[in-house]
Amino acid sequence: MNIRVGNGYDVHKLAPGLELWLGGIKIEHEKGSVAHSDGDVLIHAICDAILGAAGLRDIGVHFPDTSPEFKGIDSKILLDRTVSLIAEKGYGIGNVDCVLCLQRPKIKNYIPQMIETLSKVMKVDASQVNVKATTTEKLGFVGREEGIEAYAVVILSK
């Protein structure tokens, strides 16, 4: 069995009056992600981790933010396409582990819905997806609520 590990990272600026999408679900908050797509940092980090593990570069190569095709796109579509890309190469997802870094809003009550949504899009069991969240104790751009970031690690097998 061929096992591959990939990691992903994404960051987006936050601004008032925009929607906040995390893990494929809309989160009620007064600020949202500034982005070409829907700005779902969690899904973008997962896509990068999956693509990296498969040796397929990164999300910007496959879904460039300069393309009108991806303007405002639902990031779940990008994740679905990413999973299809690795399936074509014979890979399947072993597990995904993620960390969301944001000062507010508190999202622990949203995490079960995120896991359910992500596992359905990736066509894996919910037990293969883990999402954690942390603040930065009011330090840095995340602590000042200027931005949000996400990290993801994935194991693929062939």
Side-chain angles (χ1 to χ4, degrees):
M1 179 184 296
N2 183 2
I3 295 177
R4 309 278 301 258
V5 176
N7 65 41
Y9 171 78
D10 195 38
V11 63
H12 281 282
K13 182 178 179 177
L14 292 174
L18 298 174
E19 292 182 346
L20 181 60
W21 286 87
L22 297 173
I25 64 170
K26 186 177 176 186
I27 308 292
E28 290 303 319
H29 192 53
E30 68 268 11
K31 292 182 180 180
S33 295
V34 176
H36 185 70
S37 66
D38 66 5
D40 191 325
V41 294
L42 184 57
I43 287 182
H44 297 172
I46 293 169
C47 287
D48 265 351
I50 292 169
L51 291 166
L56 295 174
R57 300 195 54 194
D58 62 48
I59 193 171
V61 170
H62 296 275
F63 315 111
D65 65 4
T66 55
S67 171
E69 176 186 358
F70 305 115
K71 179 71 176 155
I73 195 166
D74 181 337
S75 292
K76 292 187 296 292
I77 295 169
L78 304 180
L79 182 57
D80 181 65
R81 291 184 187 177
T82 298
V83 171
S84 294
L85 285 170
I86 64 155
E88 289 171 12
K89 294 232 176 230
Y91 289 105
I93 295 171
N95 77 300
V96 178
D97 186 36
C98 314
V99 181
L100 270 167
C101 302
L102 68 164
Q103 197 63 42
R104 287 186 323 114
K106 297 294 184 194
I107 61 161
K108 85 174 174 182
N109 293 334
Y110 294 103
I111 289 176
Q113 186 180 355
M114 288 181 197
I115 290 171
E116 180 183 333
T117 300
L118 293 167
S119 64
K120 283 182 182 175
V121 175
M122 292 186 285
K123 300 168 189 72
V124 298
D125 189 80
S127 67
Q128 293 170 264
V129 180
N130 189 52
V131 177
K132 305 175 293 284
T134 189
T135 68
T136 59
E137 301 295 331
K138 299 188 179 181
L139 298 172
F141 71 90
V142 171
R144 291 186 302 271
E145 299 180 41
E146 297 169 356
I148 184 170
E149 59 186 351
Y151 298 85
V153 176
V154 64
I155 293 180
L156 301 183
S157 61
K158 191 182 231 186

